[in-house]
Amino acid sequence: MRDFSQDHRWLSLNTATVRRQGDLAAIVEACARHGIRAIDPWRDQVAAIGLDRAGRAIRDAGLELSGYCRGGMFVSDAAHRSDALDDNRRAVDEAKALGAPCIVLVAGGLPQYSRPGSAPSKDIAQARAQIDDAIAGMLDYARQAGLPLAIEPLHPAYAADRACVNTTKQALDICDRLDPARSGMLGVALDVYHIWWDPELMPQIARAGKDRLLAFHVCDWLVPTKDILNDRGMMGDGVIDIRSVRAAVEAQGFAGYSEIEIFSDDWWGKPIDEVLRTCIERHRTVV
Ligand code: ZN
């Protein structure tokens, strides 16, 4: 297992962590100031300053990407299906232009939440079937672009509105069905916030192996959690044994960035330099 205690060369910042403190250009500058080497930007943050300017800012600062957030939200009614397809193709093109190593997929929940305006449904089995089909289609496009897709399983509390891919096993089952050859083009983004509770986590990480482990996200689970979306904890402030999960993915050969992704009204209210200093300190001591 890599030693993170001496430096933060394997820290990547998911830019949503400081999305309220400044635009992407300001976040890139702050990362450079703190010696952070990589980020995972969100599409809306890129769009806000323009794709060209975002790419230039990232390159000028010498930053790498650990992913691109995000593709997905595949579930819709028939009328919105082509929107979902076009939107995901654009996400692939943007990720390619920015030099991302993979695109993170949040698969979508029920159609009315996944693609607003869609006719409401309670058929979660149908939603899951649609996700399989949509990822299969997107995979063809992503292969041509040489851009791997990383399915992020989300905690079951998000099954209705964000993703009904809820366990590592379920995500890996999709990978095995759609990419049985383990081509390296389809895998998972494992976020400790979503998967720490799963009794099958360790055997599933072993099953994933190096070629399916495309991204690793960290934060913490606070007790009590006041808001399931926007009350994620800073690493070390909650109950997740982050280091044991990192040890498990690294035992499979994962050697990428440990990406900090914290959606938190609390941390969004603090100055960016304080947030980044704390991220670096916790990365060294508890990640
Ligand atoms: Zn994540």
Side-chain angles (χ1 to χ4, degrees):
M1 185 177 177
R2 293 172 293 176
D3 177 10
F4 283 179
S5 68
Q6 303 303 310
D7 58 57
H8 57 285
R9 71 172 61 195
W10 293 111
L11 186 165
S12 172
L13 183 76
N14 184 296
T15 56
T17 304
V18 286
R19 67 157 58 251
R20 294 205 193 141
Q21 286 92 330
D23 67 8
L24 187 62
I27 294 169
V28 164
E29 261 178 49
C31 285
R33 208 157 57 231
H34 288 268
I36 289 171
R37 301 198 309 152
I39 60 170
D40 179 351
W42 281 66
R43 292 184 72 194
D44 64 307
Q45 292 174 301
V46 168
I49 66 166
L51 182 62
D52 290 345
R53 192 174 154 218
R56 242 186 347 265
I58 291 166
R59 281 190 299 276
D60 289 351
L63 292 177
E64 290 189 1
L65 264 56
S66 56
Y68 189 50
C69 278
R70 62 180 191 208
M73 295 295 170
F74 295 115
V75 187
S76 71
D77 63 9
H80 291 82
R81 206 134 315 158
S82 67
D83 288 356
L85 183 69
D86 292 348
D87 183 37
N88 277 295
R89 289 186 168 186
R90 279 197 303 276
V92 170
D93 297 342
E94 292 163 21
K96 189 76 188 161
L98 293 171
C102 66
I103 181 157
V104 175
L105 299 183
V106 171
L110 297 172
Q112 62 270 38
Y113 305 110
S114 171
R115 290 282 161 184
S118 291
S121 163
K122 295 182 180 179
D123 192 343
I124 193 168
Q126 166 62 25
R128 286 176 168 148
Q130 223 184 86
I131 287 166
D132 265 43
D133 291 347
I135 293 177
M138 187 178 179
L139 188 57
D140 287 338
Y141 190 78
R143 268 188 212 285
Q144 286 166 30
L147 193 88
L149 303 179
I151 304 168
E152 182 167 2
L154 260 54
H155 188 285
Y158 298 95
D161 58 351
R162 285 172 194 273
C164 52
V165 176
N166 304 110
T167 62
T168 307
K169 176 181 186 300
Q170 196 190 347
L172 289 170
D173 286 349
I174 296 172
C175 293
D176 285 353
R177 277 196 296 276
L178 303 184
D179 178 42
R182 299 176 77 94
S183 66
M185 295 303 294
L186 185 62
V188 294
L190 295 186
D191 184 326
V192 297
Y193 189 75
H194 296 300
I195 58 171
W196 71 276
W197 56 272
D198 183 353
E200 284 195 67
L201 179 59
M202 293 302 169
Q204 290 299 325
I205 288 174
R207 170 192 172 193
K210 185 177 194 294
D211 49 337
R212 294 268 200 239
L213 293 169
L214 301 183
F216 181 61
H217 299 174
V218 298
C219 66
D220 215 333
W221 184 277
L222 301 177
V223 179
T225 290
K226 289 175 287 187
D227 183 299
I228 193 69
L229 184 60
N230 294 330
D231 191 30
R232 292 186 179 210
M234 176 63 67
M235 300 78 68
D237 289 348
V239 297
I240 303 178
D241 183 356
I242 299 168
R243 197 162 279 169
S244 74
V245 185
R246 182 165 75 85
V249 299
E250 292 193 10
Q252 296 305 316
F254 177 79
Y257 286 99
S258 195
E259 177 181 319
I260 297 173
E261 185 185 37
I262 304 172
F263 309 150
S264 160
D265 289 321
D266 187 18
W267 288 98
W268 281 326
K270 298 180 197 293
I272 193 165
D273 289 302
E274 180 185 340
V275 177
L276 297 189
R277 267 197 307 274
T278 309
C279 285
I280 290 166
E281 192 255 317
R282 301 298 178 85
H283 176 85
R284 288 180 170 214
T285 52
V286 297
V287 174

